[in-house]
Amino acid sequence: MARLLGQARPPGLLTRALRRVLDPRFYLKAVMGLGVLAFVLVPTLADFVNAALRPVSSAEGTCRILNLIDGDTVTLMCPETGIERERLLGFDTPEKYSPNCVAELVAAEKATWGLRTMILRAERVEIAHQGADRYGRALVRLTLDGQDVARAMVKAGHARAYGGGLRGSWC
């Protein structure tokens, strides 16, 4: 009777699915979901693997690198000091959380992943505490298999040598 009056029947399951797949908003949502996965979940899992597999030797005992804030700042958990954000000495990397341009953000992400990879590949990870900076972060010297990580990060192109003072732009 409804067809006789000119009313169409509601679309079926296949028609609704095709409309959804053909809608550009579907792909925008998929890309956004993958972005969240790539920028949040994957680094978190990688840091968890580093914390679980790579104990860090220090004068305070065996520490763990819980996560990398950016290429030159880490969160360490040590038995004596607890959980602290610590600045790695000898180099400077682009800022990840307050970049001045898109190029700096991209370079910061590369530097963070470069450091994360170096830590994961190292057999022996050691730190030496050397005071605190003006932001209250502990300053530490990080060595991987006996090599200063500052030298390795600069050599890999992820960082600049830095001994304090004004820093140059990454843009």
Side-chain angles (χ1 to χ4, degrees):
M1 177 88 174
R3 284 189 171 177
L4 296 175
L5 298 175
Q7 295 177 347
R9 68 178 183 190
L13 181 63
L14 182 60
T15 303
R16 288 192 312 257
L18 280 173
R19 283 183 187 164
R20 182 172 294 174
V21 169
L22 294 175
D23 186 358
R25 292 178 294 187
F26 172 79
Y27 296 100
L28 181 60
K29 290 176 185 175
V31 167
M32 289 172 59
L34 288 173
V36 167
L37 181 70
F39 287 107
V40 176
L41 189 58
V42 172
T44 302
L45 290 174
D47 288 340
F48 178 74
V49 168
N50 271 343
L53 298 179
R54 295 289 171 256
V56 179
S57 300
S58 74
E60 289 82 25
T62 302
C63 300
R64 299 283 177 176
I65 297 176
L66 296 182
N67 75 322
L68 303 178
I69 307 302
D70 58 21
D72 57 15
T73 309
V74 298
T75 302
L76 274 177
M77 181 178 67
C78 296
E80 292 289 321
T81 58
I83 297 174
E84 285 187 333
R85 184 174 283 192
E86 303 188 355
R87 171 75 162 82
L88 303 178
L89 286 171
F91 66 104
D92 180 50
T93 60
E95 294 301 318
K96 189 176 187 177
Y97 293 101
S98 58
N100 292 320
C101 61
V102 174
E104 183 175 12
L105 178 62
V106 171
E109 199 61 42
K110 286 181 181 178
T112 305
W113 276 101
L115 179 60
R116 190 175 279 129
T117 303
M118 287 179 194
I119 293 169
L120 187 60
R121 289 182 178 166
E123 294 291 323
R124 195 176 75 250
V125 181
E126 299 170 348
I127 59 166
H129 286 87
Q130 297 181 353
D133 68 3
R134 64 182 178 191
Y135 303 109
R137 297 177 297 188
L139 297 173
V140 297
R141 180 76 57 186
L142 177 67
T143 57
L144 305 173
D145 295 329
Q147 181 184 5
D148 185 15
V149 77
R151 202 173 289 166
M153 287 290 284
V154 170
K155 185 177 179 182
H158 297 306
R160 294 183 191 140
Y162 180 70
L166 294 175
R167 299 179 298 165
S169 173
W170 290 91
C171 296

